């Protein structure tokens, strides 16, 4: 289960969704940030291709929620070129890429 609040920000010509750390009740009530929960289960995986098939369940789907939540777990969605360059946390360890500073890539 991934529980991480999300907010939308404009970066260049793109409206992107980013995770919110230390979300406050005030920011949730004002609509600045929205609670988001993604539950997932690995159905199968292929070690040779380094990929997995996931079953995903959400209560209420937020804008780009799956890309952001799975990207935080270093599990990019195949074909996602907008968010795949924005991974900032690998196995709970912060990496140097700040999602607010990394330019999105488009296909």
């Amino acid at each position: 289960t991934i529980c991480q609040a999300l907010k939308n920000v404009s970066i260049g010509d793109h409206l992107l969704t980013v995770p919110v750390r230390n979300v406050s009740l005030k920011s949730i009530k004002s609509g600045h940030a929205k609670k988001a929960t993604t539950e997932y289960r690995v159905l199968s995986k292929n070690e040779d291709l380094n990929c997995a098939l996931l079953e995903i369940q959400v209560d209420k789907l937020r804008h780009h929620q799956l890309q952001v939540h799975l990207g935080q777990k270093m599990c990019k969605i195949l074909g996602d070129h907008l968010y795949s360059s924005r991974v900032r946390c690998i196995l709970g360890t912060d990496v140097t890429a700040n999602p607010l500073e990394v330019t999105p890539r488009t296909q």
Side-chain angles (χ1 to χ4, degrees):
T1 300
I2 304 167
C3 295
Q4 179 72 60
L6 304 171
K7 70 177 180 177
N8 293 327
V9 296
S10 293
I11 300 175
D13 296 335
H14 300 281
L15 177 65
L16 297 176
T17 302
V18 297
V20 179
R21 292 182 185 242
N22 304 321
V23 65
S24 67
L25 185 57
K26 182 180 178 181
S27 65
I28 296 289
K29 285 184 177 181
S30 70
H32 181 68
K34 297 180 181 179
K35 290 183 181 180
T37 303
T38 302
E39 294 184 18
Y40 67 95
R41 181 170 61 114
V42 178
L43 298 178
S44 67
K45 57 184 175 180
N46 185 318
E47 299 288 338
D48 295 332
L49 297 176
N50 195 24
C51 64
L53 177 64
L54 303 178
E55 177 182 353
I56 297 173
Q57 179 69 41
V58 296
D59 288 334
K60 183 174 182 180
L61 186 62
R62 306 287 182 196
H63 185 258
H64 292 163
Q65 174 180 337
L66 300 179
Q67 293 91 327
V68 174
H69 279 179
L70 294 176
Q72 286 190 304
K73 294 291 185 184
M74 195 59 179
C75 180
K76 299 179 232 175
I77 296 173
L78 292 176
D80 175 23
H81 297 283
L82 186 60
Y83 284 88
S84 63
S85 64
R86 306 173 63 74
V87 173
R88 72 183 261 181
C89 181
I90 300 172
L91 299 175
T93 303
D94 285 333
V95 293
T96 57
N98 182 338
L100 298 175
E101 296 172 355
V102 176
T103 303
R105 295 181 297 181
T106 57
Q107 187 169 355

